[in-house]
Amino acid sequence: MSVIRTPSASPSTARAINDRLALDLLHREGSLTAAQLKTLTGLSRPTVADLVERLQDAGLIEIVGEAGADRRGPNAKLYGIVAERAYLAGLDVRTHGLAVSVADLLGRTRAEASLPFDLDVDTDEAVERAIALLKTTTAEAGATALHTIAVGAPGLVDPATGGLRHAGGLPAWHGKLVDELRRRLAVPVLLENEVNLAAAAEQRLGAARDRDTFVLLWLGFGVGAAVVLDGSLRRGASGGAGEIGFLPMLGPGRLPTSTDCDGGFHTLAGSAALCELAREHGIPASSADDAAAAEAAIGYAIDSNAEDFLEIVAERIAIGAAAVTAVLDPGCLVLGGEIGRAGGDALAARVSRRLSEISPLRTEVRPGTVGGGAVLEGAVLTAMGAAQDALFTPRG
């Protein structure tokens, strides 16, 4: 019987692997001594000494303090990642405006800002104001340039082009903003569906930290879902996995079309539909922003024990959830968006009960915990991951 031998890694490859291992540990654990790096990596003392020197020369790590009882000597030196080595930005682009967060290489927020827009704002004006806001926020963060930008926006992201596909009802400035950022700033600009970014935030920081398979059900101005299976985000062949707003609903009325989700699950559980339902039950739901009005209506209903309204809302959400779980059986459903956030545990419990009545699949329903900044948090995390991949992987 022949034996297949795997060639050993070249010295440069081994160094790259060791460097990345050490940097990942420093990011996850915080500052460490050389002795601690030796213990955690399993590398020899000379190898750790070499990589520490190499990473210092590259400007990726620095001495940040000392540890130990006497806090003296080379063995007491604490090493940490140079957070100012690169700055990155996350953008949450919505129909009514955008929010910006500029962070350092460790993902720590250095400056934030937001800017509202009217729905009929001129496309060029919106793009110019958005880029100006990003530049101002970058300066406030103490950065002269950005390494990576991640943008979260509603709609389909074409996997072939990396751009937004045209979808009815979305402002034209969304897609042009991404194009202009790439052209003017000449840095990597990553575009992702907003719900997918919210799922990334919930998996890293929020309700799904203990799950590698779950679905985030986004309930806000629109409805959508992010699908995470075995730890990986699933975008679909055309970038549309989770576009459940287009899920046809049985009953009278028209079906959704390829450019308009009216008649789909959106019409049943989107913020406009829930505002109308609230008004029918005598619950205040008046605002220029349907998502904010629906959020307030859900909160009012929970505070005032408006059971009839809440049960109908839970039933509507459970109908879409049942379709998702019947296909994917994720075992865990996280309710996000303005409505999911406002409903909290009270709404999640009602959805769980209704879902168990119409589906045989056991599915835990949890409220999202990251809050209103989930998309922005996810964008920063995505930009941070890309920046670290670029900087922490030595080029031969």
Side-chain angles (χ1 to χ4, degrees):
M1 181 178 67
S2 62
V3 177
I4 299 176
R5 298 185 183 278
T6 302
S8 59
S10 67
S12 61
T13 300
R15 285 194 295 270
I17 292 172
N18 293 340
D19 289 354
R20 183 59 192 258
L21 176 59
L23 287 164
D24 286 343
L25 282 168
L26 287 167
H27 180 214
R28 186 173 66 249
E29 303 292 336
S31 55
L32 298 168
T33 65
Q36 289 170 325
L37 280 171
K38 174 182 177 298
T39 300
L40 292 170
T41 61
L43 299 173
S44 67
R45 188 181 301 277
T47 299
V48 169
D50 287 344
L51 75 82
V52 165
E53 182 178 359
R54 193 162 53 245
L55 294 177
Q56 283 184 292
D57 291 342
L60 290 172
I61 68 172
E62 61 185 351
I63 298 172
V64 296
E66 292 184 325
D70 54 6
R71 296 183 179 271
R72 289 182 298 175
N75 292 334
K77 292 179 181 178
L78 279 168
Y79 298 94
I81 292 173
V82 181
E84 296 78 15
R85 178 67 170 77
Y87 288 85
L88 47 98
L91 275 69
D92 178 6
V93 176
R94 302 295 184 97
T95 54
H96 293 84
L98 80 159
V100 175
S101 178
V102 176
D104 60 30
L105 188 56
L106 293 175
R108 298 181 302 203
T109 301
R110 295 300 184 96
E112 287 186 328
S114 61
L115 182 65
F117 284 140
D118 293 329
L119 283 175
D120 59 352
V121 65
D122 177 76
T123 297
D124 291 336
E125 177 189 350
V127 169
E128 293 303 322
R129 290 174 62 192
I131 292 177
L133 181 69
L134 175 60
K135 290 181 176 179
T136 300
T137 310
T138 300
E140 289 176 354
T144 56
L146 294 171
H147 183 281
T148 306
I149 301 170
V151 181
L156 297 173
V157 178
D158 191 323
T161 65
L164 275 176
R165 289 175 53 188
H166 174 73
L170 295 178
W173 62 268
H174 284 188
K176 186 170 183 180
L177 172 61
V178 174
D179 293 340
E180 287 299 300
L181 286 172
R182 288 170 173 161
R183 184 179 69 84
R184 297 190 199 183
L185 301 187
V187 300
V189 178
L190 313 174
L191 177 63
E192 184 63 87
N193 175 269
E194 59 176 349
V195 183
N196 289 343
L197 292 181
E202 291 290 355
Q203 188 174 32
R204 179 75 71 86
L205 306 170
R209 280 178 293 181
D210 62 337
R211 292 281 183 166
D212 60 3
T213 294
F214 71 99
V215 168
L216 173 71
L217 188 61
W218 183 268
L219 304 162
F221 180 77
V223 296
V227 180
V228 178
L229 303 177
D230 299 324
S232 298
L233 177 69
R234 307 296 182 175
R235 297 178 177 84
S238 61
E243 288 292 332
I244 62 170
F246 290 90
L247 185 70
M249 296 285 103
L250 293 177
R254 70 183 185 87
L255 292 172
T257 69
S258 61
T259 58
D260 187 353
C261 55
D262 281 353
F265 183 54
H266 169 82
T267 303
L268 192 67
S271 59
L274 296 188
C275 284
E276 181 179 352
L277 179 66
R279 289 189 288 268
E280 291 173 359
H281 284 75
I283 296 172
S286 178
S287 170
D289 183 346
D290 281 340
E295 180 180 4
I298 295 292
Y300 178 92
I302 290 173
D303 291 340
S304 60
N305 296 316
E307 284 298 324
D308 290 346
F309 169 74
L310 291 171
E311 285 299 322
I312 296 174
V313 172
E315 182 178 67
R316 290 186 179 191
I317 296 171
I319 289 171
V324 171
T325 57
V327 175
L328 298 173
D329 190 17
C332 180
L333 188 74
V334 177
L335 303 183
E338 292 87 351
I339 294 164
R341 180 174 70 249
D345 290 326
L347 181 61
R350 289 174 172 85
V351 173
S352 179
R353 185 180 68 253
R354 294 297 292 126
L355 183 58
S356 69
E357 293 170 354
I358 60 178
S359 171
L361 305 177
R362 286 181 296 205
T363 306
E364 183 180 1
V365 181
R366 304 175 176 179
T369 59
V370 176
V375 175
L376 199 58
E377 289 276 9
V380 169
L381 288 170
T382 298
M384 180 187 70
Q388 289 185 357
D389 282 343
L391 293 169
F392 290 1
T393 304
R395 301 293 184 254

